[in-house]
Amino acid sequence: MLTLHNTDKFIAAAPFSASGLWDDEDILSMSDEAYNRRYAKLYGTPRLNDYYRNNSPLDLVKTMDEEKLNSVFWYIDSGDEDRLTSGNAKLHSIFLARDINHEFRVRDGGHQWDYWKVNLDKALIFIGKAFLYDD
């Protein structure tokens, strides 16, 4: 979210197992108990309100200026056993549909440090290349 709201301040972003990548159907299909426990304090009520729209990564990447999105080198990585991978795949799909330059990786592993530490070097290499890019 920090990068999406400040594309002028970041050259690269490498979310690992990014959370909060819920679409409208995901938010609406949650039980009241689950929504209230996890998201009501963050997004407020009713669901899908203006604050949610302005802070939902999927909503933002659907509507943001393509030039702003393409000014950042995006590297998205999530394990194939991570419950958050489906949301990361939704972000990837939106980037594909909007022709936003990015890399998307799904590797063996789950939502745990053992997964992230093994793949962190790949993200750091990607980020390093962003500093060498000359438009």
Side-chain angles (χ1 to χ4, degrees), residues 56-76:
S56 162
L58 296 182
D59 273 20
L60 288 173
V61 298
K62 286 178 187 175
T63 59
M64 282 179 67
D65 179 74
E66 289 178 9
E67 188 174 327
K68 285 184 178 184
L69 288 170
N70 274 319
S71 71
V72 176
F73 287 71
W74 299 97
Y75 183 90
I76 305 158

Side-chain angles (χ1 to χ4, degrees), residues 108-128:
D108 291 340
H111 193 85
Q112 59 214 25
W113 178 242
D114 286 342
Y115 173 82
W116 301 317
K117 73 179 178 183
V118 169
N119 295 298
L120 188 57
D121 62 328
K122 295 164 185 64
L124 292 174
I125 290 167
F126 178 88
I127 291 168

Side-chain angles (χ1 to χ4, degrees), residues 72-86:
V72 176
F73 287 71
W74 299 97
Y75 183 90
I76 305 158
D77 194 313
S78 192
D80 62 355
E81 296 174 22
D82 189 331
R83 64 182 174 78
L84 300 175
T85 298
S86 63

Side-chain angles (χ1 to χ4, degrees), residues 18-134:
S19 62
L21 299 174
W22 314 115
D23 60 20
D24 291 0
E25 184 179 321
D26 295 327
I27 294 292
L28 293 173
S29 67
M30 283 182 201
S31 69
D32 288 339
E33 188 256 329
Y35 181 81
N36 290 334
R37 182 171 25 94
R38 293 183 186 139
Y39 301 106
K41 287 183 182 176
L42 178 62
Y43 293 126
T45 55
R47 299 179 195 197
L48 309 180
N49 59 43
D50 287 342
Y51 185 83
Y52 169 82
R53 293 278 179 227
N54 292 326
N55 291 283
S56 162
L58 296 182
D59 273 20
L60 288 173
V61 298
K62 286 178 187 175
T63 59
M64 282 179 67
D65 179 74
E66 289 178 9
E67 188 174 327
K68 285 184 178 184
L69 288 170
N70 274 319
S71 71
V72 176
F73 287 71
W74 299 97
Y75 183 90
I76 305 158
D77 194 313
S78 192
D80 62 355
E81 296 174 22
D82 189 331
R83 64 182 174 78
L84 300 175
T85 298
S86 63
N88 287 257
K90 289 175 186 179
L91 178 62
H92 166 62
S93 294
I94 296 167
F95 276 171
L96 281 176
R98 298 201 61 206
D99 200 27
I100 304 303
N101 295 323
H102 71 289
E103 286 195 30
F104 176 61
R105 299 290 174 255
V106 177
R107 307 174 205 280
D108 291 340
H111 193 85
Q112 59 214 25
W113 178 242
D114 286 342
Y115 173 82
W116 301 317
K117 73 179 178 183
V118 169
N119 295 298
L120 188 57
D121 62 328
K122 295 164 185 64
L124 292 174
I125 290 167
F126 178 88
I127 291 168
K129 289 178 182 176
F131 287 96
L132 300 174
Y133 179 76
D134 187 10

